[in-house]
Amino acid sequence: MSAATSIEAPFLLGMMRLHEVVELHSPLRMADWIEARLDEGLIWFDHADIYGDNQGEALFGAALRARPALAERIRVVTKASIVASVRDASPFGVKHYDSSPEYLTQSIDASLTRLGVERLDHFLLHRPSPLMDAEATGRALDAAIAAGKIAAAGVSNFLPAQWRRLQAVMQHRLSAHQLQLSLDHTQPLFDGTFDALVGDGLVPLAWSPLGGGRVFERPAERLLAELAEERDMTPAGLALAWLRALPGRPRPVIGSLRAERIAALHADAREELDRPTWYALLEAARGHEVA
């Protein structure tokens, strides 16, 4: 992966809930929010066309148009391939996945327009489709890279056989894999998925890195709180440190848009976990010791 597309960040700022935060619907106020994050050194923003049914990208783009200088400082990940039922033009009105060249090309162009950027730093296939024609999809992604529309292509929620089938027919290397991973969801660490993506050189991006708050409700809650207090950090920051201790240093995609919470997680990002602490948290989260 080139330096231009390398994702070096303690976490990415997820935009899934942006359309729900009314106070950030003002382009100028949203521009202030983006600029504050950039000044903190947080430059990576994670989008998807399905977030808010295009609203997330549109609101972000309106802020960039209100303050054009910001566009040169940000780095964007966005995703497509999920067609919501309300967007299905067929008589069925069914939610489905579409990784056809025509759909992906239109999606890339639409995201560029909504976001108001000249290039998407990473474009990910949001979900794998059993109907994917890997060769056709691969050609479309390679063409988008060649045209300068995207800097790198990746996947999300794919199994190893699925991304390898796509990679085998592409000229460019797949860049990243966004997967569900947290103390609340450790399955990828034990079913071969995580080892495969690290072995294949994909940057791991962890969505729902706090399990939607479930990491604080399950058996690990008490230990997280105790260790966080000892280390003068937040339990959430400790849960993210647990993720970053893994090979490939997964980049969490956090969902909060609150400035004070983001600042706290950024301050906690310096924390490194030793092996016994990492396993103690794993044991607490799973409710049993390792074999």
Side-chain angles (χ1 to χ4, degrees):
M1 190 183 304
S2 70
T5 57
S6 177
I7 304 176
E8 299 300 332
F11 48 79
L12 285 73
L13 295 159
M15 298 292 105
M16 187 172 71
R17 304 296 182 194
L18 175 56
H19 65 287
E20 300 174 358
V21 184
V22 177
E23 57 266 32
L24 292 180
H25 286 193
S26 159
L28 289 177
R29 188 168 294 180
M30 183 62 193
D32 288 341
W33 185 91
I34 294 171
E35 189 163 16
R37 305 291 79 76
L38 294 174
D39 290 345
E40 293 168 351
L42 300 170
I43 66 172
W44 284 94
F45 300 85
D46 179 80
H47 289 271
D49 59 357
I50 199 172
Y51 293 167
D53 190 24
N54 300 337
Q55 289 185 69
E57 290 183 336
L59 289 167
F60 198 88
L64 296 184
R65 282 186 283 274
R67 198 166 299 164
L70 297 179
E72 297 180 0
R73 300 174 61 191
I74 65 162
R75 296 292 179 268
V76 171
V77 177
T78 197
K79 304 174 287 292
S81 78
I82 300 176
V83 182
S85 57
V86 295
R87 291 279 176 175
D88 178 28
S90 81
F92 302 104
V94 63
K95 180 182 179 181
H96 61 282
Y97 308 141
D98 191 341
S99 54
S100 67
E102 297 79 14
Y103 184 83
L104 294 180
T105 300
Q106 292 171 5
S107 296
I108 290 169
D109 289 343
S111 287
L112 287 168
T113 298
R114 282 191 295 269
L115 289 164
V117 296
E118 295 183 356
R119 185 181 69 172
L120 305 172
D121 296 284
H122 289 265
F123 174 76
L124 313 183
L125 299 184
H126 206 161
R127 292 276 178 178
S129 170
L131 300 179
M132 180 179 72
D133 179 337
E135 291 188 358
T137 297
R139 283 196 300 270
L141 295 174
D142 280 332
I145 294 172
K149 294 180 179 181
I150 65 177
V155 297
S156 181
N157 304 298
F158 274 50
L159 294 174
Q162 294 167 329
W163 79 63
R164 286 170 177 167
R165 183 162 65 95
L166 178 61
Q167 181 64 88
V169 296
M170 287 185 63
Q171 297 174 0
H172 297 86
R173 297 296 303 172
L174 292 173
S175 61
H177 183 201
Q178 190 168 134
L179 74 165
Q180 184 180 5
L181 185 63
S182 69
L183 270 169
D184 180 67
H185 186 80
T186 61
Q187 180 180 339
L189 303 181
F190 301 100
D191 64 9
T193 301
F194 188 79
D195 293 284
L197 74 89
V198 171
D200 286 0
L202 298 172
V203 174
L205 308 176
W207 65 265
S208 195
L210 300 176
R214 290 184 300 276
V215 297
F216 310 119
E217 302 167 358
R218 302 292 172 89
E221 175 188 9
R222 179 174 296 179
L223 185 57
L224 276 170
E226 291 175 355
L227 292 175
E229 185 174 4
E230 290 175 6
R231 294 162 185 249
D232 192 26
M233 62 187 301
T234 65
L238 186 60
L240 298 188
W242 183 88
L243 279 174
R244 283 191 288 266
L246 289 162
R249 294 187 67 82
R251 285 66 154 173
V253 180
I254 69 167
S256 179
L257 297 173
R258 291 193 294 116
E260 61 274 16
R261 182 166 175 79
I262 293 169
L265 292 177
H266 198 188
D268 291 341
R270 65 184 182 277
E271 187 70 20
E272 300 282 345
L273 297 191
D274 57 58
R275 201 173 301 266
T277 301
W278 191 91
Y279 273 99
L281 285 168
L282 175 67
E283 180 180 281
R286 299 173 80 195
H288 61 82
E289 65 180 20
V290 296

